[in-house]
Amino acid sequence: MNLDLRLDTSGDFYAQKFQPTKREDTLILNMGPQHPSTHGVLRIILEIDGEYIVRAQPVLGYIHRMHEKMAEVMSYPQYLPNPARTDYLHALAWGWAHVGAVERLMGLEVPERAEFIRVITCELNRINSHLLWWGAYLLDLGAFTPIMYAFDDREIIMDIMQRVTGSRLTYCYYRFGGVSGDIDDRFVSETREQCARMKERFKMYKALVTENFILRKRVEEIGEISVDTCRRYGATGPVLRGSGQEYDVRRAEPYSVYDRFDFNIPAYNDCDAMGRYLVRMDEMQESIKIIEQALDALPEGDFIHPKAPKRAKPPAGDVYFAVEGARGKIGMHLVSDGGKSAYRLKLRAPGFSNLSLFGEVSQGTLISDAVSILGSLDLVIPEIDR
Amino acid sequence: MSDQAEKSVTAPEKEEAAKTEEKVPLYTGYDLDYFVTPKDLIDAVRKLDQAGFFLEDISCLDMKEGFQLVYHFDRFDQPGRVGLRVMQDRENHDVPSIHHIYPGADWHERECFDFFGIRFKGHPNLLPLLLDPDHQGPPPLIKDESARKSLEELYPDRVTTPVNIEDEQFTREITNCSNPKYRNPS
């Protein structure tokens, strides 16, 4: 009797739809949705040949909350805290994309001081996001100590942010036409202190981790992604820059006051996990450069436009607003019919596009390398599932 | 705050915006924006692919005329956003899948299938992506009939007739889509 156990009808909907190939020596394996290296609830169905991946298919939706429907039900100010809940690590960039889209549609002006405050806080948040990625990625690869150092730095930044924004992780700080509260001298001096401290820490990180032989064995020449693959899948952010393409929304499509600052867009031609690692390490230093320039040039004035509407009601129209998040291009496509809530708000999550190339890139790699590739994509599952 | 007070606050803003609009049109985020027929979509997307664009996302709207699919494209080396809009009948879906040109479109199309129930022709794996496969009932972003708006209401003073993509002008426009006015505001 010829019984093919791989055509077992057990398993859920997705496992049954994931038909094995004609090969007889492969095995179907579920990775996640509770696997520690997936950081949340990502599930990947793998067809493996020994330790090698033949085919991989991510299964999404375990933390789907329908933020797009909420945008149609809630009024614009009610929706303000929502974007932060999609990507909890770079909450401010998502909030910015939302207020930016509404401001663009209303033609609302933002005072210069508010723009500077947005840049400073958003960049602090970006450093925080990259630090957590750094710690967690190394944890995946078996190094426990770095996450302790990362959280040490994060803690200080979160304390600074808590005083002005009122929260530590899911910030709701930006308003239509400005920010909810002004920054004070203590914020400025503490931020400067932290910037100076971080510069020393980066040197230590480089000596302790980046040049570590064991790490390099795990990331160099692993998960090579070409620029064309990024283009076909729409991958952006450090994933694209790690492939050597200098594309950053802050430069390509300048919003706010980013065109006034002098900063580099780090890019590495290696195309591997190490390239993406180095891009993020360099980006934190570029963020510090931006913060210091913004603090030096911080203008006086209002932190919110005096005529900013309490209850925004944009005219009918269709706008797209994109910002550079820690994971790539965050886009909001807002369509309004002139009502109190959006007619349609489409969220573009950078992680969604970045993860979609995993199926292609992981083919033929070892399972342990797939963990390294997944980590180097810097996935935040609530952002992908929305 | 009452509705009246709100109006008095936003009215000067609107006037200001209208004034600046006469000089430089307010940037909507789109450098170019076209309506195309479902039949022409594949050819238009292929032209964008050849011009080096990447697919940002596929957005969908439920309106009186049916569904409107909005494909957003952008470019790495010469940024500029191009929007392609395709109108779909509510019942008969004839929009083709573009996954064979942009494999990244696979998931975006599955998302539109989830939220609006649009069946893309030729999609290899049109399964629920974000929703539970056991989800019962209509797709969640379908609007009530009374809440649907028409093209004229949402896009006042806009030409909504599909463009002829065979035209040389279309190819020329997408090749030079970067508008320096928007790209370098300083």
PDB file of all heavy atoms in Angstrom, chain B residues 57-78:
ATOM      1  N   ASP B  57       1.442  49.945  -2.667  1.00  0.00           N
ATOM      2  CA  ASP B  57       0.334  49.160  -2.142  1.00  0.00           C
ATOM      3  C   ASP B  57      -0.844  49.223  -3.098  1.00  0.00           C
ATOM      4  O   ASP B  57      -0.809  49.947  -4.093  1.00  0.00           O
ATOM      5  CB  ASP B  57      -0.082  49.619  -0.740  1.00  0.00           C
ATOM      6  CG  ASP B  57      -0.526  51.062  -0.694  1.00  0.00           C
ATOM      7  OD1 ASP B  57      -0.696  51.659  -1.761  1.00  0.00           O
ATOM      8  OD2 ASP B  57      -0.707  51.601   0.404  1.00  0.00           O
ATOM      9  N   ILE B  58      -1.854  48.441  -2.803  1.00  0.00           N
ATOM     10  CA  ILE B  58      -3.097  48.486  -3.569  1.00  0.00           C
ATOM     11  C   ILE B  58      -4.201  48.827  -2.589  1.00  0.00           C
ATOM     12  O   ILE B  58      -4.414  48.123  -1.605  1.00  0.00           O
ATOM     13  CB  ILE B  58      -3.386  47.144  -4.263  1.00  0.00           C
ATOM     14  CG1 ILE B  58      -2.231  46.759  -5.186  1.00  0.00           C
ATOM     15  CG2 ILE B  58      -4.682  47.226  -5.061  1.00  0.00           C
ATOM     16  CD1 ILE B  58      -2.374  45.385  -5.801  1.00  0.00           C
ATOM     17  N   SER B  59      -4.864  49.933  -2.849  1.00  0.00           N
ATOM     18  CA  SER B  59      -5.925  50.395  -1.964  1.00  0.00           C
ATOM     19  C   SER B  59      -7.248  50.208  -2.690  1.00  0.00           C
ATOM     20  O   SER B  59      -7.277  50.136  -3.914  1.00  0.00           O
ATOM     21  CB  SER B  59      -5.664  51.875  -1.655  1.00  0.00           C
ATOM     22  OG  SER B  59      -6.690  52.408  -0.896  1.00  0.00           O
ATOM     23  N   CYS B  60      -8.309  50.103  -1.948  1.00  0.00           N
ATOM     24  CA  CYS B  60      -9.608  49.885  -2.577  1.00  0.00           C
ATOM     25  C   CYS B  60     -10.659  50.739  -1.889  1.00  0.00           C
ATOM     26  O   CYS B  60     -10.561  51.018  -0.689  1.00  0.00           O
ATOM     27  CB  CYS B  60      -9.977  48.411  -2.504  1.00  0.00           C
ATOM     28  SG  CYS B  60     -11.466  48.004  -3.393  1.00  0.00           S
ATOM     29  N   LEU B  61     -11.654  51.176  -2.655  1.00  0.00           N
ATOM     30  CA  LEU B  61     -12.729  51.988  -2.104  1.00  0.00           C
ATOM     31  C   LEU B  61     -14.065  51.421  -2.549  1.00  0.00           C
ATOM     32  O   LEU B  61     -14.204  50.989  -3.683  1.00  0.00           O
ATOM     33  CB  LEU B  61     -12.653  53.407  -2.667  1.00  0.00           C
ATOM     34  CG  LEU B  61     -11.648  54.380  -2.127  1.00  0.00           C
ATOM     35  CD1 LEU B  61     -10.812  54.880  -3.255  1.00  0.00           C
ATOM     36  CD2 LEU B  61     -12.365  55.533  -1.508  1.00  0.00           C
ATOM     37  N   ASP B  62     -15.028  51.461  -1.655  1.00  0.00           N
ATOM     38  CA  ASP B  62     -16.382  51.054  -2.013  1.00  0.00           C
ATOM     39  C   ASP B  62     -17.174  52.318  -2.321  1.00  0.00           C
ATOM     40  O   ASP B  62     -17.285  53.200  -1.463  1.00  0.00           O
ATOM     41  CB  ASP B  62     -17.004  50.292  -0.833  1.00  0.00           C
ATOM     42  CG  ASP B  62     -18.348  49.703  -1.200  1.00  0.00           C
ATOM     43  OD1 ASP B  62     -18.700  49.769  -2.389  1.00  0.00           O
ATOM     44  OD2 ASP B  62     -19.036  49.190  -0.295  1.00  0.00           O
ATOM     45  N   MET B  63     -17.682  52.440  -3.524  1.00  0.00           N
ATOM     46  CA  MET B  63     -18.435  53.633  -3.894  1.00  0.00           C
ATOM     47  C   MET B  63     -19.701  53.269  -4.664  1.00  0.00           C
ATOM     48  O   MET B  63     -19.947  52.099  -4.929  1.00  0.00           O
ATOM     49  CB  MET B  63     -17.583  54.607  -4.715  1.00  0.00           C
ATOM     50  CG  MET B  63     -16.336  54.030  -5.276  1.00  0.00           C
ATOM     51  SD  MET B  63     -15.177  55.200  -5.961  1.00  0.00           S
ATOM     52  CE  MET B  63     -15.749  56.757  -5.481  1.00  0.00           C
ATOM     53  N   LYS B  64     -20.460  54.302  -5.001  1.00  0.00           N
ATOM     54  CA  LYS B  64     -21.747  54.053  -5.672  1.00  0.00           C
ATOM     55  C   LYS B  64     -21.563  53.305  -6.982  1.00  0.00           C
ATOM     56  O   LYS B  64     -22.358  52.445  -7.336  1.00  0.00           O
ATOM     57  CB  LYS B  64     -22.441  55.396  -5.948  1.00  0.00           C
ATOM     58  CG  LYS B  64     -23.486  55.712  -4.909  1.00  0.00           C
ATOM     59  CD  LYS B  64     -24.299  56.926  -5.293  1.00  0.00           C
ATOM     60  CE  LYS B  64     -25.093  57.403  -4.098  1.00  0.00           C
ATOM     61  NZ  LYS B  64     -25.203  58.840  -3.998  1.00  0.00           N
ATOM     62  N   GLU B  65     -20.511  53.680  -7.731  1.00  0.00           N
ATOM     63  CA  GLU B  65     -20.292  53.096  -9.057  1.00  0.00           C
ATOM     64  C   GLU B  65     -19.747  51.674  -8.982  1.00  0.00           C
ATOM     65  O   GLU B  65     -19.584  51.016  -9.996  1.00  0.00           O
ATOM     66  CB  GLU B  65     -19.311  53.953  -9.856  1.00  0.00           C
ATOM     67  CG  GLU B  65     -19.887  55.273 -10.350  1.00  0.00           C
ATOM     68  CD  GLU B  65     -19.731  56.381  -9.317  1.00  0.00           C
ATOM     69  OE1 GLU B  65     -19.399  56.067  -8.156  1.00  0.00           O
ATOM     70  OE2 GLU B  65     -19.948  57.544  -9.671  1.00  0.00           O
ATOM     71  N   GLY B  66     -19.398  51.228  -7.794  1.00  0.00           N
ATOM     72  CA  GLY B  66     -18.775  49.917  -7.646  1.00  0.00           C
ATOM     73  C   GLY B  66     -17.533  50.053  -6.788  1.00  0.00           C
ATOM     74  O   GLY B  66     -17.532  50.809  -5.825  1.00  0.00           O
ATOM     75  N   PHE B  67     -16.480  49.330  -7.138  1.00  0.00           N
ATOM     76  CA  PHE B  67     -15.236  49.438  -6.389  1.00  0.00           C
ATOM     77  C   PHE B  67     -14.226  50.236  -7.188  1.00  0.00           C
ATOM     78  O   PHE B  67     -14.190  50.169  -8.406  1.00  0.00           O
ATOM     79  CB  PHE B  67     -14.648  48.052  -6.101  1.00  0.00           C
ATOM     80  CG  PHE B  67     -15.533  47.207  -5.235  1.00  0.00           C
ATOM     81  CD1 PHE B  67     -16.155  46.083  -5.742  1.00  0.00           C
ATOM     82  CD2 PHE B  67     -15.744  47.542  -3.906  1.00  0.00           C
ATOM     83  CE1 PHE B  67     -16.968  45.304  -4.947  1.00  0.00           C
ATOM     84  CE2 PHE B  67     -16.556  46.766  -3.106  1.00  0.00           C
ATOM     85  CZ  PHE B  67     -17.179  45.648  -3.624  1.00  0.00           C
ATOM     86  N   GLN B  68     -13.398  50.992  -6.454  1.00  0.00           N
ATOM     87  CA  GLN B  68     -12.287  51.658  -7.107  1.00  0.00           C
ATOM     88  C   GLN B  68     -11.000  51.095  -6.512  1.00  0.00           C
ATOM     89  O   GLN B  68     -10.761  51.203  -5.312  1.00  0.00           O
ATOM     90  CB  GLN B  68     -12.336  53.165  -6.873  1.00  0.00           C
ATOM     91  CG  GLN B  68     -11.258  53.872  -7.651  1.00  0.00           C
ATOM     92  CD  GLN B  68     -11.113  55.330  -7.266  1.00  0.00           C
ATOM     93  OE1 GLN B  68     -10.114  55.921  -7.562  1.00  0.00           O
ATOM     94  NE2 GLN B  68     -12.100  55.911  -6.623  1.00  0.00           N
ATOM     95  N   LEU B  69     -10.176  50.503  -7.369  1.00  0.00           N
ATOM     96  CA  LEU B  69      -8.874  49.998  -6.918  1.00  0.00           C
ATOM     97  C   LEU B  69      -7.832  51.061  -7.234  1.00  0.00           C
ATOM     98  O   LEU B  69      -7.832  51.617  -8.338  1.00  0.00           O
ATOM     99  CB  LEU B  69      -8.519  48.714  -7.656  1.00  0.00           C
ATOM    100  CG  LEU B  69      -9.300  47.469  -7.230  1.00  0.00           C
ATOM    101  CD1 LEU B  69      -9.246  46.432  -8.325  1.00  0.00           C
ATOM    102  CD2 LEU B  69      -8.728  46.907  -5.949  1.00  0.00           C
ATOM    103  N   VAL B  70      -6.984  51.367  -6.268  1.00  0.00           N
ATOM    104  CA  VAL B  70      -5.940  52.372  -6.494  1.00  0.00           C
ATOM    105  C   VAL B  70      -4.584  51.699  -6.297  1.00  0.00           C
ATOM    106  O   VAL B  70      -4.280  51.215  -5.215  1.00  0.00           O
ATOM    107  CB  VAL B  70      -6.074  53.556  -5.527  1.00  0.00           C
ATOM    108  CG1 VAL B  70      -5.187  54.693  -5.982  1.00  0.00           C
ATOM    109  CG2 VAL B  70      -7.507  54.019  -5.399  1.00  0.00           C
ATOM    110  N   TYR B  71      -3.814  51.650  -7.365  1.00  0.00           N
ATOM    111  CA  TYR B  71      -2.469  51.070  -7.313  1.00  0.00           C
ATOM    112  C   TYR B  71      -1.481  52.220  -7.158  1.00  0.00           C
ATOM    113  O   TYR B  71      -1.486  53.154  -7.951  1.00  0.00           O
ATOM    114  CB  TYR B  71      -2.148  50.311  -8.607  1.00  0.00           C
ATOM    115  CG  TYR B  71      -3.012  49.093  -8.853  1.00  0.00           C
ATOM    116  CD1 TYR B  71      -4.344  49.221  -9.193  1.00  0.00           C
ATOM    117  CD2 TYR B  71      -2.478  47.812  -8.759  1.00  0.00           C
ATOM    118  CE1 TYR B  71      -5.136  48.107  -9.422  1.00  0.00           C
ATOM    119  CE2 TYR B  71      -3.260  46.694  -8.989  1.00  0.00           C
ATOM    120  CZ  TYR B  71      -4.584  46.847  -9.319  1.00  0.00           C
ATOM    121  OH  TYR B  71      -5.366  45.744  -9.545  1.00  0.00           O
ATOM    122  N   HIS B  72      -0.645  52.150  -6.122  1.00  0.00           N
ATOM    123  CA  HIS B  72       0.352  53.204  -5.909  1.00  0.00           C
ATOM    124  C   HIS B  72       1.741  52.702  -6.311  1.00  0.00           C
ATOM    125  O   HIS B  72       2.178  51.659  -5.835  1.00  0.00           O
ATOM    126  CB  HIS B  72       0.379  53.625  -4.436  1.00  0.00           C
ATOM    127  CG  HIS B  72      -0.887  54.264  -3.979  1.00  0.00           C
ATOM    128  ND1 HIS B  72      -1.696  53.714  -3.026  1.00  0.00           N
ATOM    129  CD2 HIS B  72      -1.491  55.410  -4.356  1.00  0.00           C
ATOM    130  CE1 HIS B  72      -2.748  54.493  -2.835  1.00  0.00           C
ATOM    131  NE2 HIS B  72      -2.655  55.522  -3.637  1.00  0.00           N
ATOM    132  N   PHE B  73       2.381  53.474  -7.160  1.00  0.00           N
ATOM    133  CA  PHE B  73       3.738  53.125  -7.579  1.00  0.00           C
ATOM    134  C   PHE B  73       4.685  54.265  -7.238  1.00  0.00           C
ATOM    135  O   PHE B  73       4.294  55.433  -7.233  1.00  0.00           O
ATOM    136  CB  PHE B  73       3.800  52.880  -9.096  1.00  0.00           C
ATOM    137  CG  PHE B  73       3.018  51.684  -9.541  1.00  0.00           C
ATOM    138  CD1 PHE B  73       1.681  51.805  -9.890  1.00  0.00           C
ATOM    139  CD2 PHE B  73       3.609  50.445  -9.584  1.00  0.00           C
ATOM    140  CE1 PHE B  73       0.949  50.696 -10.289  1.00  0.00           C
ATOM    141  CE2 PHE B  73       2.884  49.335  -9.987  1.00  0.00           C
ATOM    142  CZ  PHE B  73       1.559  49.452 -10.332  1.00  0.00           C
ATOM    143  N   ASP B  74       5.926  53.926  -6.960  1.00  0.00           N
ATOM    144  CA  ASP B  74       6.944  54.947  -6.710  1.00  0.00           C
ATOM    145  C   ASP B  74       8.273  54.399  -7.235  1.00  0.00           C
ATOM    146  O   ASP B  74       8.369  53.233  -7.575  1.00  0.00           O
ATOM    147  CB  ASP B  74       7.030  55.258  -5.210  1.00  0.00           C
ATOM    148  CG  ASP B  74       7.488  56.681  -4.957  1.00  0.00           C
ATOM    149  OD1 ASP B  74       8.235  57.204  -5.810  1.00  0.00           O
ATOM    150  OD2 ASP B  74       7.105  57.266  -3.949  1.00  0.00           O
ATOM    151  N   ARG B  75       9.263  55.283  -7.259  1.00  0.00           N
ATOM    152  CA  ARG B  75      10.533  54.874  -7.848  1.00  0.00           C
ATOM    153  C   ARG B  75      11.668  55.213  -6.886  1.00  0.00           C
ATOM    154  O   ARG B  75      11.610  56.217  -6.196  1.00  0.00           O
ATOM    155  CB  ARG B  75      10.715  55.614  -9.174  1.00  0.00           C
ATOM    156  CG  ARG B  75      11.679  54.994 -10.097  1.00  0.00           C
ATOM    157  CD  ARG B  75      11.443  55.359 -11.538  1.00  0.00           C
ATOM    158  NE  ARG B  75      11.114  56.765 -11.750  1.00  0.00           N
ATOM    159  CZ  ARG B  75      10.959  57.313 -12.944  1.00  0.00           C
ATOM    160  NH1 ARG B  75      11.102  56.585 -14.008  1.00  0.00           N
ATOM    161  NH2 ARG B  75      10.648  58.569 -13.073  1.00  0.00           N
ATOM    162  N   PHE B  76      12.707  54.379  -6.857  1.00  0.00           N
ATOM    163  CA  PHE B  76      13.813  54.584  -5.910  1.00  0.00           C
ATOM    164  C   PHE B  76      14.726  55.733  -6.346  1.00  0.00           C
ATOM    165  O   PHE B  76      15.017  56.638  -5.574  1.00  0.00           O
ATOM    166  CB  PHE B  76      14.677  53.320  -5.798  1.00  0.00           C
ATOM    167  CG  PHE B  76      13.965  52.144  -5.200  1.00  0.00           C
ATOM    168  CD1 PHE B  76      14.173  50.868  -5.696  1.00  0.00           C
ATOM    169  CD2 PHE B  76      13.110  52.302  -4.129  1.00  0.00           C
ATOM    170  CE1 PHE B  76      13.533  49.775  -5.139  1.00  0.00           C
ATOM    171  CE2 PHE B  76      12.465  51.216  -3.565  1.00  0.00           C
ATOM    172  CZ  PHE B  76      12.680  49.951  -4.082  1.00  0.00           C
ATOM    173  N   ASP B  77      15.207  55.669  -7.588  1.00  0.00           N
ATOM    174  CA  ASP B  77      16.264  56.627  -7.968  1.00  0.00           C
ATOM    175  C   ASP B  77      15.697  57.975  -8.375  1.00  0.00           C
ATOM    176  O   ASP B  77      16.381  58.982  -8.262  1.00  0.00           O
ATOM    177  CB  ASP B  77      17.151  56.039  -9.078  1.00  0.00           C
ATOM    178  CG  ASP B  77      16.339  55.315 -10.141  1.00  0.00           C
ATOM    179  OD1 ASP B  77      15.097  55.369 -10.045  1.00  0.00           O
ATOM    180  OD2 ASP B  77      16.924  54.720 -11.046  1.00  0.00           O
ATOM    181  N   GLN B  78      14.480  58.006  -8.855  1.00  0.00           N
ATOM    182  CA  GLN B  78      13.879  59.267  -9.323  1.00  0.00           C
ATOM    183  C   GLN B  78      12.473  59.326  -8.754  1.00  0.00           C
ATOM    184  O   GLN B  78      11.510  59.020  -9.434  1.00  0.00           O
ATOM    185  CB  GLN B  78      13.808  59.231 -10.846  1.00  0.00           C
ATOM    186  CG  GLN B  78      14.307  60.484 -11.526  1.00  0.00           C
ATOM    187  CD  GLN B  78      14.039  60.371 -13.007  1.00  0.00           C
ATOM    188  OE1 GLN B  78      14.313  59.337 -13.619  1.00  0.00           O
ATOM    189  NE2 GLN B  78      13.492  61.403 -13.576  1.00  0.00           N
TER     190      GLN B  78
END
